[in-house]
Amino acid sequence: MRIVLLGAPGCGKGTQGAHLAHDYRIPRLSTGDALRAAVAAKSVLGLRAKAAMDAGQLVSDEIVTGLVEERLAAADTANGFILDGFPRNESQARTLDAMLVHLGRAPIDHAVHLRVDEAELIERLQSRGRVEGRADDNVETIRSRLEVYRNQTQPLLDYYAQQHKLLSFEGVGDVLQIRNRLIEALGASRAESASI
Ligand code: AP5
């Protein structure tokens, strides 16, 4: 199963991605986690990414596609993977499609979208900011991240809908209930394609 997770900052991509990775026994690649690790390590890549991340803007396509290609080339992604936070604009989506061809991998099966309204997103992120102190979980940066999402990432919903790959879910409520809805829909969709 090759899954892309789509949705606004704070919608639960990381939370649900961890569940799906566990349930399907496939690796989850979070570009946000990888970039934060690079920033913490003060690597060259991290130093290049930090200003954009602190401002709530996208890091350059070149940096993130490099990270993703390196990860997808690893043997443990051969049976599937979950991409959390990538692609984030149409250029990255097209690069991903080409990258999978280049790596001899099958195309993305599903884009899983989590719907959460903005007031709830802001509340979740501010709350995490207070508890965990993540650098970009402050009101000003949260607003930039939401704007970037609306302008650059939201159009990907159409990109994947046109390919009949989009599965959209209500992302509010109990985490395990959301996870169960995802697993059920992904299982049904898998059974449907097997029967065609
Ligand atoms: P990234 O780390 O991907 O951040 P994000 O998209 O803003 O998403 P978050 O991690 O904040 O939220 P999430 O949707 O994963 O939700 P989560 O499960 O954590 O990216 C950070 C930055 O890196 C970007 O701004 C950009 O600069 C850069 N970047 C990353 N990828 C890039 C790319 N491809 N191209 C360019 N730049 C890139 O949940 C959020 C909170 O809500 C948690 O506290 C959680 O416990 C809680 N929560 C989850 N589910 C529920 C629920 N059902 N009910 C109540 N609370 C819940």
Side-chain angles (χ1 to χ4, degrees):
M1 186 85 82
R2 288 159 298 276
I3 296 172
V4 158
L5 293 174
L6 290 177
C11 71
K13 300 183 296 295
T15 304
Q16 295 300 332
H19 278 296
L20 293 178
H22 177 264
D23 290 333
Y24 286 111
R25 294 188 174 81
I26 51 179
R28 160 180 161 257
L29 166 59
S30 157
T31 43
D33 285 353
L35 290 166
R36 278 185 290 280
V39 170
K42 295 191 166 64
S43 68
V44 174
L45 189 152
L47 294 173
R48 286 177 65 199
K50 187 176 185 317
M53 294 176 78
D54 286 348
Q57 299 297 316
L58 294 186
V59 172
S60 77
D61 287 351
E62 175 221 338
I63 290 182
V64 285
T65 53
L67 271 176
V68 171
E69 181 150 25
E70 192 179 319
R71 188 64 189 84
L72 291 186
D76 67 340
T77 63
N79 292 328
F81 51 82
I82 294 166
L83 288 176
D84 165 1
F86 183 93
R88 241 167 161 109
N89 58 31
E90 195 171 323
S91 160
Q92 291 182 12
R94 292 189 186 284
T95 301
L96 173 62
D97 291 345
M99 191 189 289
L100 292 172
V101 172
H102 172 71
L103 292 171
R105 297 287 165 82
I108 293 298
D109 295 303
H110 300 291
V112 169
H113 170 226
L114 295 167
R115 297 187 304 270
V116 177
D117 70 56
E118 267 196 35
E120 165 88 11
L121 294 169
I122 293 169
E123 171 57 34
R124 285 185 189 179
L125 295 175
Q126 280 190 287
S127 162
R128 183 176 61 189
R130 285 190 293 271
V131 176
E132 297 177 20
R134 195 171 122 174
D136 57 353
D137 283 342
N138 61 78
V139 178
E140 197 187 335
T141 312
I142 291 168
R143 293 209 181 279
S144 302
R145 288 158 67 195
L146 289 170
E147 194 182 339
V148 166
Y149 173 75
R150 280 193 297 273
N151 294 335
Q152 301 194 49
T153 311
Q154 205 161 280
L156 291 183
L157 300 181
D158 282 341
Y159 181 87
Y160 287 107
Q162 281 164 13
Q163 297 179 26
H164 308 288
K165 292 181 176 175
L166 185 67
L167 296 172
S168 188
F169 300 87
E170 174 68 47
V172 180
D174 182 76
V175 166
L176 285 179
Q177 284 181 4
I178 297 169
R179 171 250 176 212
N180 291 344
R181 287 203 292 271
L182 263 58
I183 293 285
E184 199 178 323
L186 288 166
S189 161
R190 195 184 229 182
E192 198 177 295
S193 35
S195 69
I196 292 172

